[in-house]
Amino acid sequence: MTFGEQPAYLRVAGDLRKKIVDGSLPPHTRLPSQARIREEYGVSDTVALEARKVLMAEGLVEGRSGSGTYVRERPVPRRVARSGYRPDSGATPFRQEQADLAVRGTWESHSEQAEASGAIAERLSIRPGDRVMCTNYVFRDAGEAMMLSTSWEPLAVTGRTPVMLPEEGPLGGMGVVERMAAIDVIVDNVTEEVGARPGLAEELLALGGVPGHVVVVIQRTYFASGRPVETADVVVPADRYRIAYHLPVK
């Protein structure tokens, strides 16, 4: 499809996007009203509205109740460094992932027992309904929420052991590798699948995003001799962070 064949709302959105990117419409500037867009581009109200929706979905503009639509401040993306597990590091997953950053973050967590859903059971090679320890994390960088994580560990592995609660006990706050080693479960592999999707309402609320913002989702699973012993979903706002991988060459 050539540019001339694009739907009118995409042509209008594209021109407004260009003005935002090149600074003609700087941050905090009010976007032209629907009537102004209609007159300037010679389009209908419907086209003008759809163009504005595109820019909002892309996170370039935001609506302010009773005031209009304004160009958003464009954040400079920061890195989330990921280097895989480090058996001798003694670091938590967050410390490992932030190993190359000058500023160390903080986190909050909450653990509770739950029944594995069908999807989580498949990832952990257990039966749906089997008991797992579910831990929710909010990670912060200089006080700003920058990453969410939900992890699941089968209680068939950790139940009734000193490491049953990931953030409590003698190894509370240590990484999965170190905690599992303490109960003679030797982690020897980790996989990560990276994807993107629109953020869920509760995720964006926690991360300070707006509806329609895209998040990067990392699905991570630790294995011991082929058996999954922990799986997690890590959620990062795509407009503020880039995932940087450091992989050893063997």
Side-chain angles (χ1 to χ4, degrees), residues 62-83:
E62 62 184 353
R64 298 179 186 175
S65 180
S67 179
T69 304
Y70 291 79
V71 177
R72 294 184 68 242
E73 188 81 43
R74 299 181 66 201
V76 177
R78 288 172 283 176
R79 292 192 310 134
V80 174
R82 299 183 68 78
S83 305

Side-chain angles (χ1 to χ4, degrees), residues 5-23:
E5 295 173 334
Q6 282 187 320
Y9 76 94
L10 289 182
R11 296 201 302 273
V12 173
D15 189 66
L16 291 171
R17 183 190 303 113
K18 181 176 181 296
K19 292 179 179 179
I20 292 172
V21 173
D22 68 18

Side-chain angles (χ1 to χ4, degrees), residues 50-223:
E50 290 301 314
R52 289 157 64 93
K53 286 182 178 179
V54 169
L55 298 177
M56 292 189 73
E58 293 175 352
L60 295 173
V61 301
E62 62 184 353
R64 298 179 186 175
S65 180
S67 179
T69 304
Y70 291 79
V71 177
R72 294 184 68 242
E73 188 81 43
R74 299 181 66 201
V76 177
R78 288 172 283 176
R79 292 192 310 134
V80 174
R82 299 183 68 78
S83 305
Y85 67 85
R86 300 178 181 178
D88 299 322
S89 69
T92 65
F94 186 51
R95 290 284 188 249
Q96 294 173 19
E97 289 152 5
Q98 301 303 306
D100 296 332
L101 298 182
V103 179
R104 290 188 173 184
T106 59
W107 69 91
E108 305 153 13
S109 66
H110 173 73
S111 297
E112 63 180 2
Q113 294 189 33
E115 294 183 354
S117 66
I120 297 304
E122 182 176 359
R123 285 163 58 174
L124 289 173
S125 296
I126 59 178
R127 295 172 299 181
D130 281 358
R131 303 296 290 176
V132 295
M133 184 62 68
C134 177
T135 305
N136 293 293
Y137 294 89
V138 178
F139 298 97
R140 302 184 186 277
D141 180 9
E144 177 185 292
M146 50 81 68
M147 183 167 66
L148 307 176
S149 177
T150 303
S151 74
W152 298 268
E153 296 179 352
L155 287 175
V157 175
T158 62
R160 300 181 181 277
T161 75
V163 301
M164 184 174 72
L165 292 170
E167 297 295 324
E168 298 181 24
L171 292 179
M174 300 293 282
V176 173
V177 177
E178 292 77 16
R179 291 176 47 252
M180 292 297 170
I183 57 174
D184 297 323
V185 175
I186 307 304
V187 173
D188 53 19
N189 190 28
V190 57
T191 65
E192 291 193 348
E193 297 182 10
V194 182
R197 58 167 170 75
L200 303 178
E202 56 269 28
E203 293 170 341
L204 296 175
L205 179 63
L207 293 169
V210 298
H213 273 195
V214 173
V215 294
V216 176
V217 181
I218 303 166
Q219 182 177 298
R220 180 196 69 208
T221 305
Y222 284 103
F223 295 85

